[in-house]
Amino acid sequence: MDVAHKDHLLAAFHGLLGATALLLCVLAEALVFALQRSAALYLVPVTAMLLLSRYRRRGAAGRGIGIGLVDFSCLKPPRRLRLPVAALREHMELIGCFDRGSIEFMTDAIRSSGMGNETYFPPALHYLPPASTHAHAVQEAHMLFFPALDGLFAKTRVPPSAVGALVVNCSGFCPGPSLASVIASRYGMRSDLRTFNLSGMGCSAGSVGVDVAAGVLRAHAASYALVVSAEILTVGWYCGKDRGKLLLNCNFRTGCSAALLTNSVGAQVKYRLRNVTRTNTTANDRSYRAGYREEDDDGITGFTLGQGVGRMVSELLRAHLVTLSISILPWREKLNYTAALLVSMRRRGQDKLAGSSSGASAALMPDFRAAADHFCLPSSGKPMILRLGKGLGLSEREMEAALMTFHRFGNQSAASLWYQLAYLEAKGRVRKGDTVWQLGIGSGLKANSLVWERVAVAGGRHGRNALGPWMECIHQYPVWE
């Protein structure tokens, strides 16, 4: 059995052990409560919970030795690619492939999404008509990848020859040679480089890429792993009339991120990877069809957001958050949530026996602010960000990074989570010891979470460059309408 397989089985065993122990503790607490035994007996499940929490922290630390984030870089596209909303509307009118109803629909969708006037389109989509050729898509990849990687290598002072694994995320464009090969060729990377090219995973691909890179670092003799996330819009532009497909024209914009991971004991890292949790509901047909790339009635290919996608995402998140909460919530919050859940179940049982109904009540949710100090959420537009944030019990300030990133840069797919972290750093909010939760949701459907702990002292090690893509505009944010 290889090392990667053993690591997977060990992680599954620890997850099952934790869930079983938590269930036994809850049942024991409920039994003591039902039998109205001595108050001292309440300490038994609590003590067991404490011992379990200590064991899991030590086990997680042992399994995650050396997996740290050295640094990351986010591309700020050149200003010539900027496309304000009014200019985009004029551009769509001049293209000639959209009817008046489609133009009005996209304009209203953009204005209601919370997007500002500083977002960017790739060069090929500025043409009249847009150029959606393979050659233009490759040029866009070069424009995205190389500046972001040049910035990362300059910040970290780690040469490309030291990278042992490369993971590239791009959902809609998968050329040959692969995008990973494009990067390896450009930087003359070593011959034993392990390359991975992920496609079709949507906005959750960045978290998947980090998980893949961390697995390679644990399983092989590689000191550094590089994760690059971008979306090639040149081949994703939809010129039809299906409104379910037109929405992607409204939200997605140009961007790219690059993150450098390491398992080297002596390396200086900014963040330590504390948890990776992945959940998918792909086996459910409705979930599988919630986001789908297909041709419309006129034979034009586009990505469709299916009916009921909001409901399917809600079901996915409920399953994902249950798994995540077991792993990252402190024991106090687990006990508080368990007690609240028991009280809620008891009240519903009493109401049922009395034949009365208090109406539909909101689903109980643990307080994730007890486990994370900062939040990076899916950049799917202001209404969806607010809905998700309020469902998690977050304040407007805790949703600020997601809202402002969408306002300034739009939805950059998997790269958006890194632009949000860059926003938090530019604001000086992430301090040593703070925990950052990155949540990505992608087609399939799948939800993936990364939890990072800041281990480096926050400071201006790179001066103004530390502000990244927010360098010239951070003083203008937040912007509240």
Side-chain angles (χ1 to χ4, degrees):
M1 183 182 296
D2 59 22
V3 176
H5 194 193
K6 288 182 179 178
D7 183 71
H8 175 75
L9 291 178
L10 184 61
F13 170 75
H14 279 279
L16 180 61
L17 178 64
T20 303
L22 178 62
L23 178 61
L24 290 176
C25 291
V26 171
L27 291 176
E29 194 77 28
L31 184 62
V32 173
F33 179 77
L35 297 178
Q36 298 181 351
R37 297 296 184 182
S38 171
L41 291 178
Y42 282 95
L43 296 177
V44 176
V46 173
T47 303
M49 187 75 72
L50 286 171
L51 293 175
L52 170 66
S53 176
R54 180 179 178 84
Y55 171 76
R56 285 179 61 81
R57 283 200 302 268
R58 292 179 62 182
R63 293 192 302 275
I65 290 176
I67 304 300
L69 175 65
V70 180
D71 214 332
F72 66 98
S73 175
C74 296
L75 171 72
K76 184 177 182 181
R79 188 155 183 84
R80 60 184 173 82
L81 299 180
R82 171 178 170 267
L83 195 63
V85 177
L88 176 59
R89 179 189 174 95
E90 181 182 8
H91 191 67
M92 291 187 295
E93 291 174 346
L94 293 174
I95 289 174
C97 65
F98 299 117
D99 57 27
R100 177 61 58 182
S102 297
I103 294 174
E104 294 293 340
F105 171 78
M106 287 189 285
T107 304
D108 292 342
I110 293 171
R111 287 174 176 166
S112 64
S113 70
M115 184 181 294
N117 288 302
E118 298 290 329
T119 61
Y120 306 92
F121 260 18
L125 295 187
H126 284 264
Y127 298 162
L128 290 174
S132 298
T133 66
H134 179 87
H136 284 97
V138 172
Q139 291 175 7
E140 182 186 353
H142 291 184
M143 181 203 74
L144 295 175
F145 294 158
F146 301 153
L149 289 170
D150 290 344
L152 180 63
F153 290 135
K155 287 171 67 174
T156 61
R157 297 188 177 93
V158 174
S161 58
V163 176
L166 171 62
V167 183
V168 179
N169 311 307
C170 181
S171 289
F173 183 56
C174 192
S178 69
L179 295 174
S181 296
V182 169
I183 294 173
S185 175
R186 165 68 179 239
Y187 291 97
M189 292 181 168
R190 52 204 241 189
S191 60
D192 63 344
L193 176 73
R194 291 174 170 83
T195 59
F196 303 86
N197 213 94
L198 307 181
S199 64
M201 291 192 170
C203 302
S204 67
S207 305
V208 177
V210 170
D211 191 22
V212 171
V216 174
L217 290 175
R218 293 188 184 107
H220 301 283
S223 296
Y224 293 97
L226 188 61
V227 181
V228 182
S229 301
E231 200 57 69
I232 308 299
L233 302 182
T234 295
V235 294
W237 181 256
Y238 174 68
C239 290
K241 300 177 182 179
D242 187 337
R243 296 192 174 184
K245 296 178 174 61
L246 288 172
L247 286 174
L248 264 72
N249 292 353
C250 304
N251 291 340
F252 281 85
R253 297 294 183 267
T254 295
C256 177
S257 68
L260 186 64
L261 305 180
T262 184
N263 63 348
S264 177
V265 177
Q268 293 185 351
V269 298
K270 290 177 71 174
Y271 296 89
R272 188 72 64 188
L273 182 61
R274 292 305 182 195
N275 182 269
V276 179
T277 299
R278 296 171 58 180
T279 307
N280 76 80
T281 54
T282 310
N284 184 312
D285 290 342
R286 290 183 302 160
S287 177
Y288 180 73
R289 297 287 301 189
Y292 209 80
R293 189 172 181 84
E294 60 185 355
E295 295 176 336
D296 63 12
D297 295 337
D298 298 321
I300 304 173
T301 303
F303 191 90
T304 303
L305 293 177
Q307 294 183 350
V309 63
R311 182 177 66 255
M312 298 308 302
V313 169
S314 297
E315 294 177 5
L316 168 68
L317 280 175
R318 278 195 291 270
H320 179 70
L321 294 177
V322 168
T323 305
L324 181 67
S325 63
I326 295 174
S327 302
I328 69 171
L329 285 178
W331 63 269
R332 292 182 185 87
E333 179 55 29
K334 289 178 181 176
L335 290 177
N336 290 337
Y337 175 64
T338 301
L341 191 61
L342 290 174
V343 171
S344 176
M345 292 171 60
R346 183 177 181 181
R347 286 177 178 173
R348 285 201 296 268
Q350 291 174 345
D351 290 343
K352 187 175 181 179
L353 290 174
S356 62
S357 175
S358 57
S361 58
L364 286 174
M365 185 68 64
D367 186 1
F368 284 96
R369 293 174 296 181
D373 302 290
H374 309 283
F375 301 84
C376 301
L377 306 174
S379 290
S380 49
K382 183 177 179 179
M384 292 300 295
I385 294 172
L386 291 175
R387 180 180 176 183
L388 175 59
K390 291 177 180 178
L392 293 173
L394 305 183
S395 66
E396 200 168 56
R397 178 180 172 86
E398 289 159 337
M399 294 183 277
E400 182 181 314
L403 291 168
M404 296 306 108
T405 296
F406 185 83
H407 180 276
R408 176 63 182 82
F409 293 102
N411 186 345
Q412 300 145 313
S413 193
S416 292
L417 296 178
W418 297 102
Y419 280 78
Q420 294 177 42
L421 183 54
Y423 178 89
L424 293 169
E425 288 191 351
K427 283 293 185 181
R429 295 179 184 174
V430 187
R431 305 293 183 180
K432 183 177 181 180
D434 284 0
T435 303
V436 180
W437 173 19
Q438 293 179 315
L439 171 63
I441 300 175
S443 55
L445 290 166
K446 60 182 70 66
N448 303 316
S449 288
L450 301 175
V451 180
W452 304 92
E453 180 187 355
R454 178 78 182 225
V455 294
V457 177
R461 181 176 60 163
H462 306 287
R464 287 176 58 81
N465 289 334
L467 299 179
W470 299 92
M471 182 170 59
E472 298 175 356
C473 60
I474 190 62
H475 63 283
Q476 300 173 2
Y477 288 89
V479 176
W480 302 114
E481 297 180 359

